[in-house]
Amino acid sequence: MHFIDLESQYKHLKSKIDKRIHDVLDHGHYIMGPEVKELEVALSEYVGVKHTITCANGTDALQLALMALDVGEGDAVFCPTFTFFATAEVVAYAKATPVFVDSDERTFNICVDDLERQIINVIKQGGLKPKAIISVDLFGLPANYEELQKLASKYNLKLIEDAAQGFGGSINGRKAGSFGDIATTSFFPAKPLGCYGDGGAIFTNDDNLAVLIESYRVHGKGSDKYDNVRIGLNSRLDTIQAAILLEKLAEFPIELENRNIAAENYNKTLSDRFITPYIPDGYYSSWAQYTVVSDNRDMEMKKYAAECIPTMVYYRTCMHMQTAFKYLGYKEGDFPVAEKLSKQVFSLPMHGYL
């Protein structure tokens, strides 16, 4: 049994994907070929934003977002401690300071109340300038963007949606990837919408930010490709990956339905054994992972292993306890909810062909 069954997905889409790949091989435009622009248009229509700029991976997408927002040394960027390393890594790479925030116990997403406490604390200390919030749509569930946007406006902060796991989710019909000043996603193969390598995208309705990001992703180029007007990155989505994603995106709504049916079946059969995922009214999850809470995680995972059912743990070590962030001075106990979740959660197989 597969934790994420890419093999079944490929068998289902094989003829379409193979044709798309051969079309690229025939025309030979392997970098920034016509399928890249076709995908960007399709993604903009799906998410409901004016601009989609694809890039090499989800981490670059976050880095490009920070570059476009001019985040740098002396800036504080608030992000959850219960997340994948890249969310905070890009902040440190920009020479800004990640300020970690505890989790909401029911949704696993960033806790709005603790976020405001952390913002106030940074303002009181006075050493850093509060600049931005990166909110993660953890395990496929969009964060509480109504309240997050209120805080961003109240404290004059930029809001970045990290929709690497949340792509396909929504709040009252509004799609993940359309919240905040900028949103990002990843097309890593295991993501709800994944390619066969690395890939990412940035979404925004801001024309000026879109122009900046398009420049930054290709070495900071100007109107002439050989006149570089700023320092940028080399972060382009390969044409073959774009071609694959076009066929996967066409099938994506059906896969999302299947993921939600699978999640409902899990909820019905597991709610008496575990704390099952909480989905607020009006929210729709893309179920990047189906994650339960158990006081006896190791024992429960061994039971599944005995039945040849794979399980995974996301994330055993919170960001504030990572060796790389030791310099920030956090200690165990600083974020009790996130630390508790890191010791109790595990995930079961989830995909559109379960």
Side-chain angles (χ1 to χ4, degrees), residues 263-277 290 292-293 304 348:
E264 271 302 306
N265 289 334
Y266 272 144
N267 289 342
K268 288 173 186 174
T269 55
L270 298 179
S271 58
D272 59 340
R273 287 175 57 193
F274 308 119
I275 298 173
T276 52
Y290 182 89
V292 297
V293 180
Y304 281 104
L348 292 165

Short mmCIF file of all heavy atoms in Angstrom, two decimals, residues 263-277 290 292-293 304 348:
data_model
loop_
_atom_site.label_atom_id
_atom_site.label_comp_id
_atom_site.label_asym_id
_atom_site.label_seq_id
_atom_site.Cartn_x
_atom_site.Cartn_y
_atom_site.Cartn_z
N ALA A 263 -11.35 11.15 3.38
CA ALA A 263 -11.26 11.77 4.70
C ALA A 263 -12.53 11.53 5.52
O ALA A 263 -12.47 11.26 6.73
CB ALA A 263 -10.99 13.27 4.56
N GLU A 264 -13.70 11.63 4.86
CA GLU A 264 -14.96 11.36 5.55
C GLU A 264 -15.02 9.92 6.05
O GLU A 264 -15.48 9.66 7.17
CB GLU A 264 -16.14 11.64 4.61
CG GLU A 264 -16.65 13.07 4.66
CD GLU A 264 -17.08 13.47 6.06
OE1 GLU A 264 -17.91 12.76 6.68
OE2 GLU A 264 -16.54 14.48 6.57
N ASN A 265 -14.56 9.00 5.23
CA ASN A 265 -14.54 7.59 5.64
C ASN A 265 -13.61 7.38 6.84
O ASN A 265 -13.95 6.64 7.78
CB ASN A 265 -14.12 6.69 4.48
CG ASN A 265 -15.19 6.60 3.41
OD1 ASN A 265 -16.37 6.76 3.70
ND2 ASN A 265 -14.79 6.34 2.18
N TYR A 266 -12.45 8.02 6.79
CA TYR A 266 -11.54 7.96 7.94
C TYR A 266 -12.23 8.51 9.20
O TYR A 266 -12.17 7.91 10.27
CB TYR A 266 -10.30 8.81 7.66
CG TYR A 266 -9.16 8.12 6.97
CD1 TYR A 266 -8.38 8.82 6.04
CD2 TYR A 266 -8.80 6.80 7.24
CE1 TYR A 266 -7.28 8.23 5.41
CE2 TYR A 266 -7.72 6.20 6.61
CZ TYR A 266 -6.97 6.92 5.70
OH TYR A 266 -5.89 6.33 5.08
N ASN A 267 -12.87 9.68 9.06
CA ASN A 267 -13.52 10.30 10.21
C ASN A 267 -14.55 9.37 10.85
O ASN A 267 -14.62 9.25 12.08
CB ASN A 267 -14.21 11.61 9.81
CG ASN A 267 -13.22 12.71 9.48
OD1 ASN A 267 -12.06 12.65 9.85
ND2 ASN A 267 -13.68 13.73 8.77
N LYS A 268 -15.35 8.73 10.00
CA LYS A 268 -16.41 7.85 10.51
C LYS A 268 -15.85 6.66 11.28
O LYS A 268 -16.43 6.22 12.28
CB LYS A 268 -17.28 7.35 9.35
CG LYS A 268 -18.18 8.40 8.75
CD LYS A 268 -18.88 7.88 7.50
CE LYS A 268 -19.66 8.97 6.80
NZ LYS A 268 -20.22 8.50 5.51
N THR A 269 -14.74 6.12 10.79
CA THR A 269 -14.23 4.89 11.39
C THR A 269 -13.18 5.11 12.48
O THR A 269 -12.91 4.21 13.27
CB THR A 269 -13.59 3.99 10.30
OG1 THR A 269 -12.60 4.74 9.60
CG2 THR A 269 -14.65 3.52 9.31
N LEU A 270 -12.59 6.32 12.55
CA LEU A 270 -11.50 6.54 13.49
C LEU A 270 -11.82 7.50 14.62
O LEU A 270 -11.02 7.65 15.54
CB LEU A 270 -10.28 7.08 12.73
CG LEU A 270 -9.68 6.17 11.66
CD1 LEU A 270 -8.50 6.86 10.98
CD2 LEU A 270 -9.24 4.84 12.26
N SER A 271 -12.98 8.14 14.58
CA SER A 271 -13.28 9.19 15.57
C SER A 271 -13.39 8.66 16.99
O SER A 271 -13.25 9.42 17.95
CB SER A 271 -14.57 9.93 15.20
OG SER A 271 -15.65 9.04 15.12
N ASP A 272 -13.61 7.36 17.14
CA ASP A 272 -13.68 6.79 18.50
C ASP A 272 -12.31 6.37 19.02
O ASP A 272 -12.16 6.04 20.20
CB ASP A 272 -14.63 5.60 18.54
CG ASP A 272 -14.22 4.48 17.60
OD1 ASP A 272 -13.46 4.76 16.66
OD2 ASP A 272 -14.67 3.33 17.81
N ARG A 273 -11.28 6.40 18.13
CA ARG A 273 -9.93 5.99 18.53
C ARG A 273 -8.97 7.16 18.67
O ARG A 273 -8.05 7.13 19.48
CB ARG A 273 -9.35 5.00 17.51
CG ARG A 273 -9.95 3.62 17.56
CD ARG A 273 -9.41 2.75 16.44
NE ARG A 273 -7.95 2.64 16.46
CZ ARG A 273 -7.24 2.13 15.45
NH1 ARG A 273 -7.85 1.73 14.34
NH2 ARG A 273 -5.93 2.05 15.56
N PHE A 274 -9.17 8.19 17.83
CA PHE A 274 -8.24 9.32 17.78
C PHE A 274 -9.02 10.63 17.77
O PHE A 274 -10.23 10.66 17.52
CB PHE A 274 -7.39 9.28 16.51
CG PHE A 274 -6.70 7.97 16.25
CD1 PHE A 274 -6.97 7.24 15.11
CD2 PHE A 274 -5.77 7.47 17.15
CE1 PHE A 274 -6.33 6.04 14.86
CE2 PHE A 274 -5.12 6.28 16.92
CZ PHE A 274 -5.40 5.55 15.76
N ILE A 275 -8.28 11.71 18.00
CA ILE A 275 -8.82 13.04 17.69
C ILE A 275 -8.61 13.23 16.19
O ILE A 275 -7.48 13.29 15.71
CB ILE A 275 -8.11 14.14 18.48
CG1 ILE A 275 -8.33 13.94 19.98
CG2 ILE A 275 -8.63 15.52 18.04
CD1 ILE A 275 -7.53 14.90 20.85
N THR A 276 -9.71 13.28 15.46
CA THR A 276 -9.64 13.38 13.99
C THR A 276 -9.63 14.86 13.57
O THR A 276 -9.98 15.75 14.35
CB THR A 276 -10.81 12.64 13.33
OG1 THR A 276 -12.04 13.10 13.92
CG2 THR A 276 -10.69 11.14 13.55
N PRO A 277 -9.23 15.16 12.33
CA PRO A 277 -9.07 16.56 11.91
C PRO A 277 -10.36 17.38 12.01
O PRO A 277 -11.45 16.89 11.71
CB PRO A 277 -8.63 16.43 10.44
CG PRO A 277 -7.99 15.09 10.36
CD PRO A 277 -8.77 14.22 11.30
N TYR A 290 -3.75 13.36 5.94
CA TYR A 290 -4.82 13.09 6.90
C TYR A 290 -4.13 12.77 8.22
O TYR A 290 -3.47 11.74 8.37
CB TYR A 290 -5.70 11.92 6.46
CG TYR A 290 -6.84 11.69 7.44
CD1 TYR A 290 -8.05 12.35 7.29
CD2 TYR A 290 -6.68 10.84 8.53
CE1 TYR A 290 -9.09 12.18 8.19
CE2 TYR A 290 -7.71 10.65 9.44
CZ TYR A 290 -8.90 11.33 9.27
OH TYR A 290 -9.92 11.16 10.19
N VAL A 292 -4.06 12.55 12.47
CA VAL A 292 -4.81 12.33 13.71
C VAL A 292 -3.91 12.59 14.92
O VAL A 292 -2.69 12.63 14.81
CB VAL A 292 -5.38 10.90 13.78
CG1 VAL A 292 -6.38 10.67 12.65
CG2 VAL A 292 -4.27 9.86 13.76
N VAL A 293 -4.55 12.75 16.08
CA VAL A 293 -3.84 12.98 17.34
C VAL A 293 -4.05 11.77 18.24
O VAL A 293 -5.19 11.32 18.43
CB VAL A 293 -4.35 14.26 18.04
CG1 VAL A 293 -3.60 14.49 19.34
CG2 VAL A 293 -4.23 15.46 17.12
N TYR A 304 -0.51 -0.22 12.66
CA TYR A 304 -0.70 -0.04 11.21
C TYR A 304 0.41 -0.74 10.43
O TYR A 304 0.15 -1.36 9.39
CB TYR A 304 -0.75 1.45 10.86
CG TYR A 304 -2.10 2.08 11.15
CD1 TYR A 304 -2.30 2.91 12.25
CD2 TYR A 304 -3.19 1.85 10.31
CE1 TYR A 304 -3.53 3.48 12.52
CE2 TYR A 304 -4.43 2.42 10.57
CZ TYR A 304 -4.59 3.23 11.67
OH TYR A 304 -5.82 3.78 11.93
N LEU A 348 -1.98 9.23 8.04
CA LEU A 348 -2.34 7.99 7.33
C LEU A 348 -2.33 8.21 5.83
O LEU A 348 -2.33 9.36 5.37
CB LEU A 348 -3.73 7.54 7.79
CG LEU A 348 -3.83 7.08 9.24
CD1 LEU A 348 -5.28 7.02 9.69
CD2 LEU A 348 -3.16 5.72 9.42
#
